[in-house]
Amino acid sequence: MAMLKVSDLSVNYGVIQAVKGVNFEINEGEIVTLIGANGAGKSTIVKTISGLLKPKEGQIIYQGKDIVHQKAPQIVLDGISQVPEGRHIFSGLTVMENLQMGAFLQKNSSEAAKSYQEVFDRFPILAKRKNQDAATLSGGEQQMLAIGRALMAKPKLLLLDEPSMGLSPLFIQQIFTIIKELNEKGTTILLIEQNAKQALSIANRGYVLATGQVQLTGSGHELLANPEVQKVYFGG
Ligand code: ATP
């Protein structure tokens, strides 16, 4: 059974049909990527899985249970965390306080303390800067903080919306390495990316979206080698 199965999902913003009958699934332990141009509906899908948007139609079955009608905090407690597009770091708060936001549902303080330690072990730069205003971090460090904040909730499934956006090539490389390592340590990953080549290189499977629909699916390697994908997403 898939860990997450999205069936016939349609999501509207008023009269705009952003997602039109999308089907895909994620098996435990996989990295699955959704690629597609701006406006294809990728972020809308992620926000709907997180419970921030409610679909017009469709099912989202997570670990055997339909979560479509569940509230966002419950979905986090069930093990799904999102790293939003654009990071949405709380400026004016320290690195530590930003991480605390990711643990707001954690009632057990010794568990929370363990989570901080795991995040600091994973991202030593965040430990170094823990008392600094998060706004003073570089873009790459802020992305690490956004990932660290999501990890504070100990997700089984991590939703990453455009984690490489706006980063320098060196940081992009680091972020993709981090994603692979998190996956190897047991976190299942849904990765949304404009950077299709890199995303497909680390993904087990991918889905190509266009105007709210799945156009193509296959293993990461199959999609990388697909002439249509190469033409549209790799520029030739
Ligand atoms: P991007 O990479 O630009 O975020 P995307 O594939 O994630 O693209 P979405 O952000 O999901 O795409 O947008 C899908 C469609 O829904 C687009 O036509 C977009 O203009 C529209 N849309 C997104 N958010 C809203 C909103 N809050 N109100 C109205 N329309 C929206």
Side-chain angles (χ1 to χ4, degrees), residues 111-141:
E111 275 300 310
K114 241 201 281 172
S115 300
Y116 285 115
Q117 202 46 55
E118 282 170 20
V119 170
F120 288 146
D121 289 346
R122 178 90 230 19
F123 302 109
I125 191 75
L126 297 183
K128 213 168 137 196
R129 306 218 189 291
K130 68 180 176 189
N131 296 317
Q132 259 176 250
D133 185 328
T136 65
L137 302 185
S138 73
E141 290 164 357

Side-chain angles (χ1 to χ4, degrees), residues 11-14 16-19 35-47 53 85 161-162 165 192-194 209 212:
V11 190
N12 293 356
Y13 297 99
I16 297 166
Q17 295 182 291
V19 175
I35 62 171
N38 278 333
K42 306 179 300 294
S43 295
T44 302
I45 292 172
V46 166
K47 288 179 193 158
L53 293 172
E85 181 176 344
D161 194 350
E162 307 263 6
M165 193 166 68
I192 308 290
E193 264 298 333
Q194 293 274 333
L209 279 143

Side-chain angles (χ1 to χ4, degrees), residues 29-68:
E30 280 189 314
I31 299 178
V32 170
T33 186
L34 303 183
I35 62 171
N38 278 333
K42 306 179 300 294
S43 295
T44 302
I45 292 172
V46 166
K47 288 179 193 158
T48 309
I49 296 171
S50 299
L52 301 174
L53 293 172
K54 293 296 164 197
K56 178 170 161 275
E57 274 167 16
Q59 283 186 322
I60 303 174
I61 309 289
Y62 170 67
Q63 295 189 320
K65 190 169 78 174
D66 194 346
I67 58 169
V68 154

